[in-house]
């Protein structure tokens, strides 16, 4: 397992404050798509699940597809933010991005959200996209679903994607990671109380110590290459590190990037083309996608 620690630019305090400001302003900022963005379907089907295609100019399905599984605590989504993030990813990777609008808790608890992610992935295979040309990009609770989907797909004998990018992942629904309490005072509002509520309504009575719903408790052999990014100040830091170690011990190729001083879902910086952390993340995502398919 490779672990790389990324220093904060220009310094930890300034970098963390910039991200906190970005997060605080999400509710009022504009998420208008650039002129080269396209929302026309690239393929006709999505497994009966609501999903949106987002492409940047020059993106081609011949290069492959990025399947985007958004965060939001299993309970909400911000479609305009998701589309702009997808556009950034599409432009960086030269691939169309399919954004999954999986069903949300508490109205639709586990396994409904996971079933939707699996259905959309299988729809890509059914429409002729090779598994080796699909990369899953995910964040927070969406990363939980992406990792859970890998376990469900493997169990069913379905071909797995080329790689998975999991940002600020929740991997252990028993909330056993020490950083949940140790880092909560430094994070962006993520703490044990919030996680307990969100996970409780997502599980809807399912056990938190079993897979696939709680990915770290599954069989992690035979998974595709995994890239994790996580903030050093996150309550969920240890969820990433523990899962990464377990997957690496099981023989999976794993790379972890720990961004100093960064809070939960600091990856929102990819929305700002002037932010050095956001630029580096996009460059790393692109490198990982290309390298995973070699």
């Amino acid at each position: 397992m490779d672990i790389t620690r990324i220093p904060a630019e220009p310094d930890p305090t300034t970098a963390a404050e910039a991200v906190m400001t970005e997060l605080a302003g999400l509710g009022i900022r504009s998420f208008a798509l650039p002129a080269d963005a396209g929302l026309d379907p690239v393929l006709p089907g999505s497994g009966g699940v609501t999903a949106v295609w987002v492409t940047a100019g020059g993106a081609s399905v011949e290069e492959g597809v990025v399947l985007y599984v958004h965060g939001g605590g299993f309970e909400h989504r911000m479609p305009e933010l998701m589309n702009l993030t997808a556009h950034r990813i599409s432009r960086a990777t030269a691939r169309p991005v399919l954004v999954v609008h999986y069903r949300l808790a508490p109205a639709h608890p586990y396994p409904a959200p996971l079933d939707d992610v699996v259905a959309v992935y299988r729809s890509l295979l059914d429409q002729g996209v090779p598994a080796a040309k699909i990369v899953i990009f995910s964040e927070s609770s969406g990363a939980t679903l992406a990792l859970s989907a890998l376990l469900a797909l493997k169990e069913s004998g379905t071909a797995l994607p080329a790689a998975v990018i999991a940002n600020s992942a929740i991997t252990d629904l028993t909330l056993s990671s020490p950083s949940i309490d140790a880092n909560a005072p430094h994070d962006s509002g993520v703490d044990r109380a919030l996680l307990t509520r969100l996970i409780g309504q997502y599980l809807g009575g399912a056990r938190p110590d079993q897979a696939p719903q709680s990915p770290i408790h599954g069989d992690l052999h035979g998974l595709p290459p995994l890239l994790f990014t996580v903030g050093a100040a996150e309550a969920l830091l240890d969820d990433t590190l523990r899962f990464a170690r377990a997957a690496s011990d099981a023989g999976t190729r794993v790379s972890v990037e720990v961004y100093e001083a960064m809070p939960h879902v600091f990856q929102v910086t990819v929305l700002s083309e002037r932010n050095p952390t956001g630029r580096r993340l996009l460059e790393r995502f692109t490198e990982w996608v290309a390298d995973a398919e070699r």
Side-chain angles (χ1 to χ4, degrees), residues 7-247:
E9 298 183 41
D11 63 74
T13 300
T14 302
E17 288 176 349
V19 173
M20 290 295 194
T21 299
E22 186 94 21
L23 290 170
L26 288 181
I28 58 174
R29 67 162 289 176
S30 170
F31 297 111
L33 290 171
D36 71 335
L39 297 176
D40 293 331
V42 174
L43 296 171
S46 56
V49 177
T50 301
V52 176
W53 285 98
V54 180
T55 58
S60 170
V61 72
E62 299 301 318
E63 294 295 322
V65 170
V66 176
L67 183 62
Y68 176 21
V69 189
H70 70 85
F74 306 106
E75 70 172 0
H76 72 272
R77 65 174 59 92
M78 298 178 65
E80 292 182 343
L81 181 152
M82 291 153 50
N83 286 352
L84 184 55
T85 300
H87 177 268
R88 296 283 191 266
I89 300 299
S90 177
R91 187 169 61 187
T93 62
R95 298 165 179 242
V97 177
L98 183 56
V99 186
V100 184
H101 287 224
Y102 54 84
R103 287 170 287 176
L104 298 174
H108 302 285
Y110 173 83
L114 174 57
D115 289 345
D116 288 349
V117 174
V118 170
V120 174
Y121 176 81
R122 285 182 171 147
S123 78
L124 293 174
L125 300 181
D126 292 343
Q127 293 173 96
V129 181
K133 286 291 186 179
I134 302 173
V135 171
I136 299 179
F137 177 87
S138 60
E139 66 209 6
S140 191
S141 56
T144 311
L145 294 172
L147 297 172
S148 294
L150 289 183
L151 300 179
L153 292 165
K154 186 181 70 161
E155 180 68 21
S156 67
T158 305
L160 299 180
V164 172
I165 297 169
N167 301 303
S168 297
I170 307 169
T171 67
D172 184 359
L173 302 191
T174 69
L175 299 179
S176 298
S177 292
S179 62
I180 290 174
D181 298 313
N183 279 4
H186 315 293
D187 206 349
S188 54
V190 178
D191 59 18
R192 181 172 295 275
L194 176 66
L195 292 169
T196 298
R197 181 183 70 79
L198 294 174
I199 289 171
Q201 67 182 17
Y202 166 63
L203 288 174
R207 290 181 55 169
D209 61 346
Q210 289 187 349
Q213 64 267 30
S214 190
I216 201 170
H217 297 285
D219 177 3
L220 306 186
H221 293 85
L223 300 183
L226 304 174
L227 170 63
F228 292 92
T229 72
V230 66
E234 289 199 49
L236 293 167
L237 171 63
D238 288 338
D239 267 46
T240 284
L241 296 178
R242 291 173 56 224
F243 187 96
R245 290 191 190 99

